[in-house]
Amino acid sequence: APLLDSFHKYKEFYVGSFLLSCGAFVWFCLITFLNKKVTEIMIIPPLVLLGCSAFVLLPTALELSVEVSYPVAPATSVGFLWMMGQIVGIISLFTCQSLRDPHPPHSMQNALWFLLAFVGFGGLLSLLLLYPFTAKYHRLSAEQID
């Protein structure tokens, strides 16, 4: 948060932390796919990296949405993001449940493949759509005028 407030590079922080999250999730998936016996010590580093990068990702995305949609109330733009996140989460939950294999020990492997493809698609969209996006930070410029 202090870096965002001082440099105002919301888009760069968002893309960087999203790609870091994608990389950590791919690392986690590779560990679970390639190893027959997964121990806790093997999955702790990618999950810690995923948690730390996701911790930065959420406030950065919310601040970016508020900056580019300034005349709209912040609660409205953030509310729409939360609603879309909940819809995507519900769809992912039902999709992963339907991809579940009834034969353990790898019963959720198909769901993990789906999530890996979904995260890869999101990472690609983040690079292709958001990185060239150059919007003016309306709220920041309005605060500097006042």
Side-chain angles (χ1 to χ4, degrees):
L3 291 174
L4 281 176
D5 288 339
S6 60
F7 294 113
H8 304 291
K9 299 288 185 184
Y10 301 106
K11 182 183 73 169
E12 289 81 3
F13 273 95
Y14 176 79
V15 171
S17 63
F18 188 77
L19 292 177
L20 191 62
S21 295
C22 290
F25 187 71
V26 168
W27 183 13
F28 172 75
C29 290
L30 288 175
I31 287 174
T32 58
F33 288 147
L34 298 179
N35 294 321
K36 300 289 184 213
K37 185 173 193 275
V38 178
T39 61
E40 288 84 11
I41 199 71
M42 295 170 72
I43 63 172
I44 287 174
L47 291 179
V48 166
L49 184 62
L50 181 64
C52 290
S53 59
F55 187 72
V56 173
L57 187 64
L58 179 66
T60 306
L62 296 179
E63 279 293 319
L64 180 62
S65 74
V66 168
E67 286 291 335
V68 298
S69 65
Y70 169 65
V72 177
T76 305
S77 62
V78 169
F80 278 123
L81 282 179
W82 277 109
M83 284 189 301
M84 287 305 298
Q86 295 299 318
I87 290 169
V88 169
I90 290 169
I91 291 171
S92 297
L93 178 76
F94 285 122
T95 304
C96 289
Q97 191 64 28
S98 68
L99 291 173
R100 185 177 184 169
D101 187 14
H103 308 307
H106 300 289
S107 61
M108 294 302 287
Q109 190 166 8
N110 292 334
L112 206 52
W113 280 114
F114 164 74
L115 290 175
L116 185 61
F118 191 66
V119 165
F121 181 68
L124 183 66
L125 279 181
S126 178
L127 283 176
L128 294 178
L129 296 178
L130 188 65
Y131 202 71
F133 177 69
T134 55
K136 183 178 177 187
Y137 295 150
H138 299 292
R139 186 183 69 162
L140 183 65
S141 58
E143 287 177 357
Q144 288 175 352
I145 291 173
D146 294 338

